[in-house]
């Protein structure tokens, strides 16, 4: 081929190439942008859904936290059930009434977390407001009071253990239960609740009641013999709330007051000297407690260590406007000083 023909063919090839490239560019420009726009729309839709879900979860958590404020931290009961609307802060200071009771028991607790740890064996210092209630009910307060008081009380903790709290979830027990508290799990009926056992228990109760009535009658007769109504009840005047068994051990088994001039029988029972001598004279020569043979000549003084413990016990003065606390060894001398002042005043 000649040179002009070759140059003409080369120009044709270049023209075809440029034409094909222009077609491709036109096709690219004419292609719709729908997939890209759809992707953007999907991303924005997912973001809005996430925001909505977050806002819904936050509202549920806030509602869950509001419901927690109406429940007891310890038993899970509703605070709304108390007609007097009484509640106590879990992390607050111990109230004055409980402080006075603890002082009488020679114990100390400045804050509720310390006291709750002693009574319920639970540490509330690491509680979170989003999981745990911040108050406990007055019924649980009464359970704590019963723990440190000798006064009989019919208040009991309604669960086997303290309530376990969990974060909010789809199957949350807290939400929707704040008006009546969280229900306890049903327990299987006891297999020992048969008719025969109920009959035996009823008979035992009747026998125990008859015995207690007989003992009460005997005690009332002995108190009448010893004329105990004239003697003040010194057990209530003790400044410290001692255990019941200790108070019984330092009390006369006839008049039930603190021993005055104590004596011991051969069967190791303790009485006031005047009380036991009057009883032996009226009811016969036997111990009023166990009916063991006993005579006035058998009475001896208790050991010195017991008398020293008895004499150092602190009691309150029963005289009006005298708030002094004296030991039992100096009690009679203190009363005689009041009598002397009264006689001088008259």
């Amino acid at each position: 081929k000649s040179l002009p023909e070759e140059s003409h063919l080369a120009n044709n090839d270049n023209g075809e190439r440029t034409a094909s490239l222009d077609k491709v560019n036109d096709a690219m420009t004419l292609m719709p942008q729908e997939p890209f726009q759809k992707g953007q729309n999907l991303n924005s839709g997912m973001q809005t859904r996430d925001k909505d879900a977050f806002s819904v979860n936050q509202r549920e958590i806030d509602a869950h936290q509001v419901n927690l404020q109406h429940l007891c931290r310890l038993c899970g009961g509703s605070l709304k059930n108390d007609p007097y609307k009484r509640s106590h802060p879990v992390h607050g200071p111990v109230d004055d009434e409980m402080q006075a009771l603890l002082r009488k028991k020679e114990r100390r607790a400045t804050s509720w977390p310390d006291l709750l740890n002693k009574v319920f064996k639970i540490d509330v210092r690491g509680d979170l407001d989003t999981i745990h209630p911040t108050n406990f009910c007055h019924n649980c307060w009464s359970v704590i009071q019963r723990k440190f008081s000798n006064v009989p009380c019919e208040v009991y903790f309604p669960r086997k253990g303290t309530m376990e709290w969990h974060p909010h979830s789809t199957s949350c027990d807290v939400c929707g239960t704040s008006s009546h508290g969280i229900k306890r799990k049903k327990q299987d009926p006891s297999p020992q609740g048969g008719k025969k056992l109920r009959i035996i228990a009823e008979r035992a109760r009747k026998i125990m009641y008859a015995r207690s009535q007989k003992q009460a009658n005997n005690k009332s007769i002995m108190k009448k013999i010893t004329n105990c109504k004239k003697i003040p009840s010194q057990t209530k005047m003790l400044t410290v709330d001692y255990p019941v068994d200790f108070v019984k051990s330092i009390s006369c088994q006839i008049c039930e007051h603190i021993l005055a001039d104590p004596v011991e029988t051969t069967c190791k029972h303790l009485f006031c000297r005047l009380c036991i001598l009057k009883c032996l004279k009226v009811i016969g020569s036997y111990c009023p407690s166990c009916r063991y043979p006993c005579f006035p000549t058998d009475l001896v003084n208790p050991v010195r260590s017991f008398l020293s413990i008895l004499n150092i016990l602190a009691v309150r003065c029963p005289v009006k406007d005298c708030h002094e606390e004296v030991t039992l060894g100096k009690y009679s001398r203190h009363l005689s000083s009041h009598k002397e002042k009264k006689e001088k005043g008259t």
Side-chain angles (χ1 to χ4, degrees):
K1 293 180 182 178
S2 61
L3 287 171
E5 288 178 358
E6 287 179 0
S7 63
H8 180 71
L9 288 170
N11 290 331
N12 287 338
D13 291 337
N14 290 331
E16 287 176 1
R17 280 178 195 156
T18 54
S20 62
L21 284 170
D22 291 339
K23 286 179 182 179
V24 170
N25 290 330
D26 292 339
M28 288 291 289
T29 54
L30 291 170
M31 276 178 67
Q33 302 295 325
E34 289 180 3
F36 179 71
Q37 290 174 356
K38 283 183 180 177
Q40 281 188 337
N41 292 334
L42 283 172
N43 288 334
S44 62
M46 288 174 67
Q47 286 177 0
T48 53
R49 275 196 220 107
D50 290 341
K51 285 181 181 178
D52 292 340
F54 177 76
S55 61
V56 169
N57 289 336
Q58 191 61 39
R59 282 200 298 271
E60 287 181 0
I61 291 168
D62 293 341
H64 176 81
Q65 196 168 349
V66 170
N67 290 334
L68 286 175
Q69 302 307 313
H70 302 298
L71 297 176
C72 174
R73 168 66 177 87
L74 304 173
C75 67
S78 176
L79 301 178
K80 296 178 182 178
N81 293 338
D82 189 356
Y84 301 103
K85 306 298 179 185
R86 294 168 296 183
S87 63
H88 307 273
V90 172
H91 301 284
V94 179
D95 57 88
D96 295 337
E97 188 177 349
M98 191 66 70
Q99 284 280 17
L101 186 62
L102 290 170
R103 277 196 298 271
K104 204 172 182 184
K105 280 286 185 180
E106 296 181 333
R107 299 195 180 188
R108 287 183 181 181
T110 54
S111 62
W112 281 118
D114 297 335
L115 205 55
L116 296 176
N117 195 11
K118 288 178 183 177
V119 177
F120 296 100
K121 309 299 180 189
I122 181 173
D123 189 9
V124 298
R125 290 184 180 87
D127 283 6
L128 299 172
D129 293 347
T130 54
I131 300 174
H132 304 90
T134 56
N135 296 304
F136 63 95
C137 63
H138 193 72
N139 184 71
C140 293
W141 183 92
S142 301
V143 172
I144 300 169
Q145 186 190 37
R146 191 193 65 184
K147 181 81 175 178
F148 298 102
S149 176
N150 294 331
V151 179
C153 181
E154 294 297 326
V155 178
Y156 299 97
F157 194 64
R159 304 178 67 89
K160 288 185 177 179
T162 53
M163 187 74 188
E164 291 184 4
W165 301 94
H166 305 283
H168 177 67
S169 62
T170 53
S171 59
C172 183
D173 293 330
V174 173
C175 297
T177 60
S178 59
S179 60
H180 48 78
I182 296 175
K183 292 183 179 179
R184 290 179 286 167
K185 292 180 179 179
K186 291 184 178 180
Q187 299 177 359
D188 297 330
S190 175
Q192 298 179 353
K195 187 177 179 181
K196 190 175 180 180
L197 287 172
R198 284 200 299 272
I199 294 170
I200 293 169
E202 188 64 29
R203 286 179 182 172
R205 274 197 294 271
K206 287 180 180 178
I207 292 167
M208 291 296 291
Y209 179 75
R211 286 180 181 175
S212 64
Q213 287 293 106
K214 189 176 180 181
Q215 288 177 358
N217 291 334
N218 290 338
K219 280 188 176 181
S220 63
I221 290 167
M222 286 189 288
K223 281 184 179 181
K224 286 178 181 177
I225 292 168
T226 55
N227 227 350
C228 291
K229 289 181 181 179
K230 296 180 181 178
I231 304 170
S233 179
Q234 293 177 351
T235 52
K236 294 179 181 178
M237 292 153 47
L238 290 167
T239 57
V240 178
D241 191 6
Y242 292 108
V244 176
D245 293 334
F246 177 76
V247 175
K248 284 183 180 178
S249 67
I250 60 169
S251 302
C252 174
Q253 297 190 28
I254 296 173
C255 67
E256 297 179 347
H257 299 154
I258 296 176
L259 291 162
D261 191 12
V263 290
E264 186 180 343
T265 61
T266 50
C267 51
K268 302 295 180 183
H269 289 119
L270 292 168
F271 304 94
C272 301
R273 188 181 294 274
L274 287 175
C275 294
I276 186 66
L277 288 175
K278 286 181 182 179
C279 281
L280 292 178
K281 189 176 181 180
V282 175
I283 64 174
S285 299
Y286 59 84
C287 175
S289 294
C290 63
R291 317 276 302 177
Y292 189 81
C294 178
F295 299 92
T297 53
D298 298 331
L299 302 175
V300 294
N301 293 325
V303 292
R304 290 181 182 177
S305 57
F306 176 80
L307 292 174
S308 62
I309 293 169
L310 193 66
N311 289 329
I312 62 172
L313 293 175
V315 292
R316 295 186 191 87
C317 179
V319 178
K320 193 177 179 181
D321 298 329
C322 179
H323 305 288
E324 193 173 345
E325 295 180 0
V326 293
T327 57
L328 203 60
K330 299 177 181 178
Y331 178 72
S332 57
R333 197 186 310 164
H334 181 77
L335 284 182
S336 60
S337 66
H338 279 296
K339 288 180 182 177
E340 288 174 4
K341 288 178 183 177
K342 194 175 181 180
E343 288 173 359
K344 287 178 181 179
T346 54

